[in-house]
Amino acid sequence: MKTKDLTLAALFAGFISISSYIVIPLPVVPFSLQVFAVSLTAICLTRKQALFAILTYTLVGLIGLPVFAGGRGGFQVILSPSFGFILGFIPMVFIINTLFHKLPKGKRWLAFIAGSLSLYAVALPILYFNLKLNTGTVLSLSKLLVTYWLIFLPTDCLSMGLSYLVQTKILPFTQSQTTSSESL
């Protein structure tokens, strides 16, 4: 990767980290602006840059820097119920970026739906397992979906929509990055 690519990825990793500090506490999994930041990262950068940004964010948090929601960090986060969301950001970035730049303008919203589904496909099983392992709490599938997916759906849609609006305002800065036909 070139210096410009690394710089953009580092800036967006920092942006994701900062967004994790803006938290509305909820039981077990807090609401933060991470979905907004991750979505914006996915649509503003090339696939390689976006993946590097989210992987950097994840690794920096796992080694102990307090970059996860609520200022948490460290290897012990793996056992927290919200760890699945941190891991789910990786396929989310990949899917949103890939689809957003391949779909026609009028269908780009499908990239956000697919990205959101990938996030929850990773997050919910890990949340279920970590709740069961750490607290002995066993949730039914319906309770899991209602409590940890449906409750976040409106804010996730708002976050993703806002990321699209912000991206259109900073398009001149990122246009040279998103039009690149880089592949992994």
Side-chain angles (χ1 to χ4, degrees):
M1 287 180 93
K2 296 179 182 177
T3 304
K4 182 178 182 179
D5 297 329
L6 293 172
T7 303
L8 280 171
L11 285 171
F12 275 86
F15 176 61
I16 296 167
S17 299
I18 291 167
S19 73
S20 73
Y21 277 86
I22 303 168
V23 174
I24 299 171
L26 295 173
V28 184
V29 179
F31 167 76
S32 72
L33 289 181
Q34 287 172 300
V35 170
F36 165 72
V38 170
S39 298
L40 189 62
T41 300
I43 62 177
C44 285
L45 301 179
T46 65
R47 185 179 318 134
K48 194 180 285 187
Q49 292 167 338
L51 283 170
F52 190 75
I54 197 65
L55 288 171
T56 299
Y57 163 75
T58 303
L59 292 174
V60 163
L62 287 175
I63 63 169
L65 292 176
V67 298
F68 298 141
R72 293 177 309 126
F75 200 70
Q76 72 279 3
V77 172
I78 289 174
L79 297 174
S80 76
S82 60
F83 182 65
F85 290 91
I86 295 165
L87 279 185
F89 290 147
I90 298 167
M92 180 183 171
V93 161
F94 181 84
I95 290 169
I96 289 176
N97 180 283
T98 300
L99 293 177
F100 187 84
H101 297 297
K102 288 187 179 185
L103 290 170
K105 223 174 192 174
K107 299 212 183 236
R108 288 184 172 169
W109 57 273
L110 292 170
F112 294 113
I113 290 174
S116 180
L117 289 174
S118 71
L119 170 65
Y120 286 98
V122 171
L124 292 180
I126 293 172
L127 184 140
Y128 176 85
F129 177 76
N130 282 346
L131 274 176
K132 185 177 177 182
L133 178 71
N134 296 322
T135 65
T137 305
V138 178
L139 297 173
S140 67
L141 180 60
S142 61
K143 179 136 177 124
L144 183 72
L145 291 175
V146 168
T147 308
Y148 299 105
W149 179 57
L150 288 179
I151 195 169
F152 291 102
L153 196 56
T155 55
D156 285 354
C157 290
L158 184 63
S159 293
M160 290 178 187
L162 185 59
S163 71
Y164 179 76
L165 291 175
V166 169
Q167 184 261 354
T168 61
K169 298 298 179 192
I170 61 174
L171 185 63
F173 171 72
T174 62
Q175 191 168 21
S176 65
Q177 300 303 314
T178 58
T179 56
S180 163
S181 59
E182 261 182 75
S183 61
L184 290 175

